[in-house]
Amino acid sequence: IDEAVGAGDTDSIAQEVKRVLQQSLRCNALSLPSRFHTPRPDTYARRLLHRDPAGRYTVVVMTWGPQQGTALHDHAGIWCVECVVAGEMAVTQYDLVSEENGAYRFEEQNRVVASRGAAGCLIPPFEYHTLANTRPDSTSVTLHVYGGEMDHCHIFEPSGHGAFRRVTKALQYHD
């Protein structure tokens, strides 16, 4: 990943990080300690795996209990590569189609169900999405490489008539 983040522009970096993650999973070169596979009962777990000393990126492991998921959210302008390490995740991407007086409107673009080794890039402004563990009886694990420290994001809460309001959400790491 250290080499990948030197790939040039944001799109090239994200594509190279994606390639490295997928290759690591194909070769079984990525092994996570057991604590990264333990879900939380109240919400998906967000655990720091690595922080680049130069601040270029962070690697975060998320553990999803059965059917846990996110609200519609963005990454506050930070690029990200998300990769499924275990289980199965539904990833739904949205386009922002309008914003007027704090009322945001989105259009669903695509929805994929991803399993081990599947990865995708989120590059602003195309960063609006939801994630959810599709399995009703097992845990899923994802690995996220962010182009910096993602300490907050914006979630979009339904506000009626198909519109959403944007709320800043502080993010924290769990155990």
Side-chain angles (χ1 to χ4, degrees):
I1 293 176
D2 284 338
E3 288 180 28
V5 297
D9 63 90
T10 302
D11 187 56
S12 297
I13 290 169
Q15 291 301 324
E16 185 61 14
V17 168
K18 177 182 172 181
R19 187 191 68 72
V20 167
L21 292 179
Q22 288 180 311
Q23 176 76 21
S24 297
L25 284 168
R26 267 194 301 275
C27 298
N28 291 318
L30 177 64
S31 176
L32 297 172
S34 61
R35 75 180 186 93
F36 288 100
H37 292 270
T38 305
R40 294 174 54 95
D42 54 334
T43 185
Y44 63 92
R46 189 172 184 273
R47 297 177 174 111
L48 180 66
L49 179 64
H50 176 74
R51 180 182 289 120
D52 175 48
R56 299 172 298 168
Y57 67 93
T58 54
V59 182
V60 177
V61 177
M62 294 186 193
T63 311
W64 309 82
Q67 298 183 315
Q68 288 179 340
T70 67
L72 174 59
H73 67 283
D74 67 13
H75 283 179
I78 296 175
W79 65 264
C80 176
V81 177
E82 301 174 342
C83 184
V84 179
V85 174
E88 198 172 77
M89 297 293 293
V91 182
T92 307
Q93 294 178 307
Y94 296 85
D95 277 348
L96 175 63
V97 294
S98 70
E99 186 274 317
E100 186 176 325
N101 300 320
Y104 293 78
R105 295 189 183 278
F106 295 92
E107 186 175 283
E108 183 177 321
Q109 289 305 303
N110 73 356
R111 181 181 189 273
V112 297
V113 176
S115 56
R116 179 180 166 79
C121 303
L122 296 164
I123 302 171
F126 305 104
E127 60 187 310
Y128 303 102
H129 65 291
T130 60
L131 296 167
N133 178 357
T134 62
R135 299 200 171 169
D137 56 0
S138 64
T139 299
S140 292
V141 178
T142 55
L143 190 139
H144 304 247
V145 179
Y146 296 103
E149 184 82 41
M150 195 168 125
D151 60 2
H152 74 283
C153 69
H154 302 107
I155 61 170
F156 296 88
E157 298 177 339
S159 60
H161 307 291
F164 293 80
R165 68 181 183 98
R166 183 173 82 168
V167 177
T168 300
K169 178 181 180 181
L171 298 173
Q172 63 186 12
Y173 298 119
H174 299 106
D175 43 39

